[in-house]
């Protein structure tokens, strides 16, 4: 096989959960551009429809979507059954649920519990059932989407000129959620590896134009490449880990952050 052909996703089916969170749209575009049929899953069908239309305007045709309010065994089983009926195979699973976070530290037990049910328990149940589907197939690539905070604590000095962002990045659960996906990728990789299924995590840096100027300037000053991530940076990393070009890579977290966490 020509080496470039290993990056092709032609003939593969991909599912992206919770595409409304950061990086979901860019990943969908990248996977489809590389040849994959892309499906979406999320709790709100109206949001999935809106994202499908938004992607269509960008030239990305979504193959379909599944309602999926993650966090329960029943929901994960129903999603697995629906995928078996609709897709020829599930070759790529992108879990984008880590984008669902709280703001600030003042939350009740029930609010925090609901959050953990969606992110931590939701992730585990999704991987349990869709990973089993991939294991039965004898192949698959699972990708967890996280960000740079999974590898380095948020720097308070980055918010000197944008204090309004502190409650977002210094929320009670932000670092816990983001970092847990790194270790769970190792856990899932160990279990799924014997079935020729891989599991990796991507720790993205902020996407250009999505944060306040004060934060973006501070982040850039600390990074090696002196810029924020572009849409192509987001898409290319996902395509690489989804494709046969990374066939011998599993259990890793790939920083796509311009060298921010290298310091």
């Amino acid at each position: 096989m020509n080496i470039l052909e290993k990056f092709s996703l032609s003939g593969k089916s991909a599912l992206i959960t919770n595409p409304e969170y950061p990086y979901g749209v860019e990943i969908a575009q990248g996977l489809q551009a590389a040849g994959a049929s892309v499906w979406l899953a999320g709790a709100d069908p109206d949001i999935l429809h809106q994202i499908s239309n938004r992607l269509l305007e960008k030239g990305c045709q979504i193959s379909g979507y599944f309602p999926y309010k993650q966090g329960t065994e029943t929901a994960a089983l129903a999603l697995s059954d629906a995928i078996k009926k609709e897709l020829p195979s599930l070759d790529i699973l992108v879990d984008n649920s880590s984008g669902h976070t709280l703001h600030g530290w003042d939350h009740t037990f029930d609010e925090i519990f609901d959050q953990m049910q969606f992110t931590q328990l939701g992730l585990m149940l999704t991987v349990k059932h869709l990973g089993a589907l991939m294991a039965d197939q004898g192949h698959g690539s699972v990708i967890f989407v996280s960000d740079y905070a999974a590898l380095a604590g948020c720097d308070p000095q980055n918010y000197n000129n944008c204090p309004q962002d502190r409650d977002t990045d210094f929320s009670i659960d932000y670092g816990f959620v983001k970092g847990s996906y790194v270790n769970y990728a190792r856990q899932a990789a160990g279990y799924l590896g014997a079935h020729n299924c891989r599991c990796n995590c991507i720790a993205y840096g902020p996407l250009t134009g999505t944060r306040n100027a004060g934060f973006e300037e501070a982040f850039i000053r600390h990074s090696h490449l002196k810029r924020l991530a572009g849409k192509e940076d987001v898409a290319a990393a996902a395509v690489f880990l989804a494709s046969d070009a990374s066939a011998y890579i599993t259990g890793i977290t790939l920083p796509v952050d311009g060298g921010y966490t290298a310091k």
Side-chain angles (χ1 to χ4, degrees), residues 144-151 182 201-205 253-257:
F144 299 160
V145 179
S146 188
D147 68 26
Y148 72 98
L151 303 174
V182 171
C201 181
I202 304 177
Y204 286 113
T253 293
L254 176 65
V256 183
D257 62 2

Side-chain angles (χ1 to χ4, degrees), residues 18 25 28 41 54 59-60 62 69 83 85 91 94 100 137-138 164 166 168 179 206 213 223-224 232 258 260:
N18 306 296
V25 168
R54 180 179 165 192
C60 178
I62 295 300
K69 185 177 181 180
I83 287 171
K85 294 177 182 178
D91 307 295
V94 179
H100 182 72
Q137 296 172 169
Q164 65 271 34
R166 286 181 184 271
T168 299
S223 69
H224 286 315
E232 294 78 10
Y260 184 92

